[in-house]
Amino acid sequence: MLSMHNISKVFRTDLVQTHALRDFSLEVAAGEFVAVTGPSGSGKTTFLNIAGLLENFDGGSYRLDGVDVAGLSDSALARLRNEKIGFIFQSFNLIPDLNLFDNVDVPLRYRGFSAAERKQRIEEALEKVGLGARMKHLPSQLSGGQQQRAAIARALAGSPRFLLADEPTGNLDSLMARQVMELLEQLHEEGTTIVMVTHDAELARRAPRNIHVLDGAVSDLHVVGTPSLRAATV
Amino acid sequence: MFAYYLRLSLASLRRHPALSALMVLAIAIGIGVCMTTLTVHTLMSSDPIPWKSDKLFAVRLDSWGPDRPWEEPNEPPPELNWRDATALMASDIPPRHAAMFKSMFTVQNEDPGFAPYMVEARITHKDFFALFDTPFLHGGGWGDSADKNLEQVVVLGKVANDKLFGGENSVGRTIRLDEREFKVVGVLADWQPVPKFYDVNNGNFDAAEDIYLPWGTAQPFQLRTAGNTNGWKPENIDSFDAFLNSESVWIQFWAELPDTETKARYQAFLDAYVGEQKKLGRFPRPLNNRLSDVNQFMSERHVVGDDNRVLVGLSFLFLAVCLINMVGLLLAKFLGKAPELALRRALGASQWQIVQLNLVEVGLVGLLGGVLGLGLAYGGLEAVKTLYASNDGNDVRLYALNLPLALQAMAIALAASLLAGLYPALKVGRLAPAGLLKTQ
Ligand SMILES: Nc1ncnc2c1ncn2[C@@H]1O[C@H](COP(=O)(O)OP(=O)(O)OP(=O)(O)O)[C@@H](O)[C@H]1O
Ligand SMILES: [Mg+2]
């Protein structure tokens, strides 16, 4: 599903160069659920952005679902993003003056579905996250957990095969975090490939596969919940 | 997708009403000023009689003095004197021709209780009406004999007929001009060529005269011109006949010349006439007789002043200033929306789709600005009208918006706003989404 080889990414500002990723290599097979942990600034978000085609990279190669993404045009990348990838962000990123229905509608619009199909998909997605009765609500009228569930509905409405989540529970209390995690686990069981960045070691342990990122590279592919990992993710 | 963009744009404009209003206002003021000057200019420079303007010729003879031309570099005077006008009327080369001048009378109807008022009149030949295709409501013009002998008949303009006879068919009734009785033979429908091309010596955009008298009345009644009289020669003018025999020019002269062959023959006739007169010691200047069709004449006589063109140019500069303002406002607006746009990119919008969305919003601002601008232009034209039209008798239609101009205004508003929006739309469309998403 995802295949990265020796990816490097350098951020250059006037004064400093930051090697956000160096020789970052990772294979994620279709249907996997991977939790990514690592200290702040280690490059987790950078990896996720590159995986989600939101950021380009300086070296290495990346194949998404068999497609080499290097050299694709902006509109080809946009289409790939739209069809294959669902994003879930820490701060939900719902559009404040669109109601839930219209928020979930956004990726479907760019997909070019008919009005009838969009309506059906939006309703199904919102039902699935338990917000079927709140379609006309604005994001501000919902709790944080409900907002994140709406964001998940938006991510899965286009039935992408690949979900990327950057600290999806970071802004939620533990009860709501658990609900979101259960939702992700359900999606995983239905066959979606999920890569989730988290600072929460307990949540990470619930994922079948954990990877640890340190200084812009994958440091340990196998460790699950060791004391050293817990220390690193405080 | 367009409907979706339109809906989002409307919501986006509503989200920041003050900023949106400012942008709409920027466009509207620019458009309002441009349309005000452009409307006046377009109407001023329009062809007043398009169906035959290339067959109607202003006739000018260079009867001016030996020392300098009437106007540099070598313009003949724009009008004729009585003697030459009379001589030219003897030609049968033009199928229609007429000499003419403007005069003033106090006018009264048959009712002794009617308060007399001043009216502008045109003394001319019978061909005047056919020459310029004036529309008649009732009756018609006068016959040949009224041009040669005294016949007390008149044609009324629509306004005069309304005032004197309440708009009834007044053919056969009588009016009094300076205490002399005249019989009405015809009544014109509303007829107001803009510019008033046949006499641009006495107000290029004045309304047409309201009463027409036959040429045959001029000499017996010693009718004086109420327009300009110009002369170069020191002459002793102590009587009306001396005035008619002088070199003073004050008569406009128009001829219809249907084809180049007729025009060439008429030019030869004019040159031969002046040649004869030179032998009599008149026409001291080199041969310089001019036949100018309506549009040539309008440009040679500078009917639309350079100041008017400068004004139009200035108003478009002003629009440009408004647009530069708008670029700044749009940039602020789009940068404010950047996180949402970045999110749309993440969810599958391409850069081009973001640019399209932005341009729809800009176009909407432009159209709203255009509509408001038309309102402002309407107000501006009303203001110009009250300022100028009333006191120098300009035709009020100079200050009226019309449909083509309104459409033009909308097109300019749309194009201008898209121009202003292009840079902000592209700039924001190209921002990398990753960085913006983090800041939300
Ligand atoms: N746009 C940018 N410009 C400059 N430097 C950047 C940029 N984005 C990230 N970096 C740098 O790259 C490195 C990796 O950042 P990244 O956001 O991937 O870390 P992270 O692992 O997600 O951290 P956190 O757990 O705090 O979210 C950091 O040193 C960061 O300062
Ligand atoms: Mg991060």
Side-chain angles (χ1 to χ4, degrees):
Chain A
M1 183 76 213
L2 171 149
S3 166
M4 283 185 177
H5 281 289
N6 299 330
I7 294 283
S8 67
K9 174 72 187 176
V10 184
F11 290 108
R12 289 185 181 82
T13 59
D14 291 342
L15 292 175
V16 284
Q17 287 194 10
T18 311
H19 287 264
L21 297 180
R22 52 182 108 212
D23 290 340
F24 187 101
S25 298
L26 182 67
E27 299 280 341
V28 176
E32 274 197 289
F33 187 166
V34 183
V36 180
T37 54
S40 183
S42 57
K44 305 183 297 294
T45 296
T46 306
F47 152 64
L48 221 52
N49 284 340
I50 291 174
L53 311 175
L54 290 177
E55 192 123 63
N56 49 19
F57 46 92
D58 300 308
S61 71
Y62 171 28
R63 302 176 80 82
L64 173 66
D65 212 6
V67 178
D68 188 345
V69 303
L72 288 183
S73 71
D74 170 74
S75 62
L77 288 173
R79 192 168 338 111
L80 219 52
R81 213 154 43 219
N82 185 258
E83 286 174 7
K84 297 207 191 269
I85 302 171
F87 283 101
I88 304 165
F89 307 93
Q90 177 173 354
S91 47
F92 323 139
N93 287 8
L94 295 168
I95 298 172
D97 45 15
L98 297 185
N99 62 29
L100 292 196
F101 186 96
D102 287 333
N103 262 290
V104 176
D105 190 27
V106 172
L108 307 182
R109 288 282 182 169
Y110 295 111
R111 188 73 157 270
F113 286 139
S114 70
E117 172 154 20
R118 280 189 282 115
K119 185 166 187 293
Q120 191 196 341
R121 280 174 175 267
I122 294 165
E123 285 169 0
E124 272 174 20
L126 282 169
E127 291 293 346
K128 185 161 200 163
V129 302
L131 291 171
R134 312 245 172 188
M135 285 194 276
K136 297 292 165 202
H137 284 60
L138 290 174
S140 58
Q141 296 165 328
L142 301 177
S143 74
Q146 288 171 324
Q147 289 188 43
Q148 190 60 301
R149 276 165 24 218
I152 293 174
R154 180 180 64 193
L156 56 87
S159 19
R161 298 185 50 211
F162 196 21
L163 269 188
L164 297 173
D166 195 353
E167 301 186 42
T169 60
N171 285 2
L172 303 177
D173 65 30
S174 57
L175 176 69
M176 289 185 175
R178 223 171 26 247
Q179 288 178 353
V180 165
M181 189 61 194
E182 278 160 14
L183 197 53
L184 291 179
E185 282 167 345
Q186 186 194 336
L187 293 172
H188 171 233
E189 270 157 35
E190 291 167 13
T192 309
T193 312
I194 299 177
V195 173
M196 174 182 76
V197 168
T198 182
H199 276 129
D200 185 330
E202 199 185 320
L203 284 187
R205 262 201 312 277
R206 289 173 64 164
R209 179 180 169 198
N210 276 21
I211 65 163
H212 191 64
V213 176
L214 206 60
D215 274 343
V218 179
S219 75
D220 185 346
L221 286 166
H222 309 292
V223 187
V224 175
T226 62
S228 68
L229 173 63
R230 253 179 245 149
T233 56
V234 172
Chain B
M1 217 54 184
F2 182 76
Y4 182 56
Y5 291 155
L6 204 59
R7 217 182 85 203
L8 292 173
S9 299
L10 277 171
S12 165
L13 290 179
R14 270 200 301 268
R15 195 179 316 153
H16 304 288
L19 186 59
S20 309
L22 223 55
M23 291 192 294
V24 169
L25 212 61
I27 288 278
I29 292 175
I31 290 294
V33 170
C34 280
M35 290 325 291
T36 305
T37 59
L38 201 61
T39 302
V40 173
H41 182 269
T42 307
L43 287 166
M44 276 186 170
S45 49
S46 63
D47 187 337
I49 182 162
W51 59 94
K52 65 191 301 191
S53 56
D54 58 338
K55 297 188 175 62
L56 293 177
F57 290 84
V59 180
R60 284 177 292 170
L61 305 178
D62 200 342
S63 62
W64 211 241
D67 300 334
R68 65 185 73 85
W70 152 266
E71 188 185 286
E72 296 292 347
N74 190 27
E75 287 296 296
E79 296 171 288
L80 305 184
N81 57 42
W82 176 267
R83 267 200 284 176
D84 295 334
T86 309
L88 297 197
M89 280 308 292
S91 165
D92 58 2
I93 297 169
R96 298 187 181 99
H97 54 175
M100 60 195 78
F101 66 94
K102 174 170 128 176
S103 192
M104 286 276 258
F105 298 93
T106 50
V107 61
Q108 197 174 13
N109 64 14
E110 297 147 324
D111 173 6
F114 185 89
Y117 68 95
M118 296 289 283
V119 70
E120 290 188 342
R122 181 145 295 258
I123 290 80
T124 184
H125 288 93
K126 70 169 183 20
D127 281 352
F128 178 92
F129 305 103
L131 201 55
F132 300 142
D133 288 337
T134 63
F136 274 94
L137 273 183
H138 310 291
W142 52 81
D144 206 23
S145 62
D147 285 340
K148 302 208 164 89
N149 314 302
L150 178 60
E151 285 181 21
Q152 288 174 247
V153 295
V154 290
V155 168
L156 296 184
K158 182 162 189 311
V159 175
N161 189 56
D162 287 349
K163 280 194 192 167
L164 293 166
F165 295 106
E168 286 173 30
N169 181 355
S170 58
V171 171
R173 317 263 301 256
T174 51
I175 60 166
R176 298 177 69 81
L177 295 173
D178 289 354
E179 302 306 318
R180 296 186 187 101
E181 285 200 350
F182 287 80
K183 195 174 88 177
V184 178
V185 293
V187 177
L188 292 185
D190 188 29
W191 180 65
Q192 299 288 347
V194 179
K196 188 184 166 191
F197 65 95
Y198 52 84
D199 183 0
V200 290
N201 312 288
N202 303 300
N204 302 344
F205 300 100
D206 280 8
E209 288 83 10
D210 221 12
I211 293 189
Y212 299 85
L213 278 69
W215 194 254
T217 59
Q219 202 165 10
F221 290 154
Q222 305 203 347
L223 300 180
R224 289 276 189 168
T225 175
N228 297 328
T229 303
N230 292 294
W232 58 273
K233 195 173 177 181
E235 288 169 302
N236 186 17
I237 298 171
D238 52 7
S239 68
F240 187 72
D241 280 334
F243 174 64
L244 294 188
N245 279 314
S246 73
E247 291 289 351
S248 296
V249 296
W250 49 285
I251 295 168
Q252 304 88 46
F253 198 102
W254 285 83
E256 185 175 331
L257 303 169
D259 49 56
T260 48
E261 188 268 332
T262 314
K263 188 186 167 200
R265 267 202 298 141
Y266 194 56
Q267 180 80 49
F269 159 74
L270 297 179
D271 292 349
Y273 168 71
V274 171
E276 286 299 317
Q277 294 295 309
K278 276 175 179 293
K279 288 182 197 154
L280 301 175
R282 295 184 64 220
F283 289 91
R285 299 187 58 73
L287 208 57
N288 183 25
N289 304 319
R290 205 76 73 84
L291 291 172
S292 312
D293 75 18
V294 173
N295 290 314
Q296 285 166 347
F297 193 56
M298 295 301 98
S299 108
E300 286 163 358
R301 298 293 299 126
H302 315 293
V303 164
V304 180
D306 284 341
D307 48 349
N308 192 274
R309 263 185 287 277
V310 170
L311 205 61
V312 173
L314 279 178
S315 64
F316 272 88
L317 271 183
F318 182 72
L319 177 64
V321 172
C322 294
L323 288 185
I324 291 167
N325 260 308
M326 169 119 165
V327 174
L329 292 169
L330 281 172
L331 210 52
K333 163 128 212 171
F334 288 160
L335 285 175
K337 282 206 324 184
E340 178 193 324
L341 298 178
L343 177 70
R344 289 184 177 277
R345 294 282 310 279
L347 299 178
S350 65
Q351 289 183 359
W352 173 229
Q353 282 172 316
I354 297 295
V355 172
Q356 279 176 309
L357 170 61
N358 290 343
L359 287 180
V360 169
E361 182 166 343
V362 169
L364 198 61
V365 169
L367 288 180
L368 289 173
V371 172
L372 187 61
L374 275 181
L376 292 180
Y378 180 77
L381 288 167
E382 287 294 308
V384 173
K385 182 156 63 180
T386 45
L387 265 180
Y388 295 110
S390 51
N391 59 11
D392 70 359
N394 280 3
D395 186 342
V396 293
R397 280 176 314 163
L398 276 183
Y399 311 112
L401 277 173
N402 56 34
L403 186 65
L405 277 164
L407 292 177
Q408 204 179 331
M410 297 311 287
I412 294 175
L414 191 61
S417 60
L418 289 179
L419 193 70
L422 203 59
Y423 170 70
L426 284 173
K427 180 172 169 70
V428 175
R430 294 226 166 130
L431 290 175
L436 289 162
L437 285 168
K438 234 183 289 184
T439 60
Q440 267 212 336

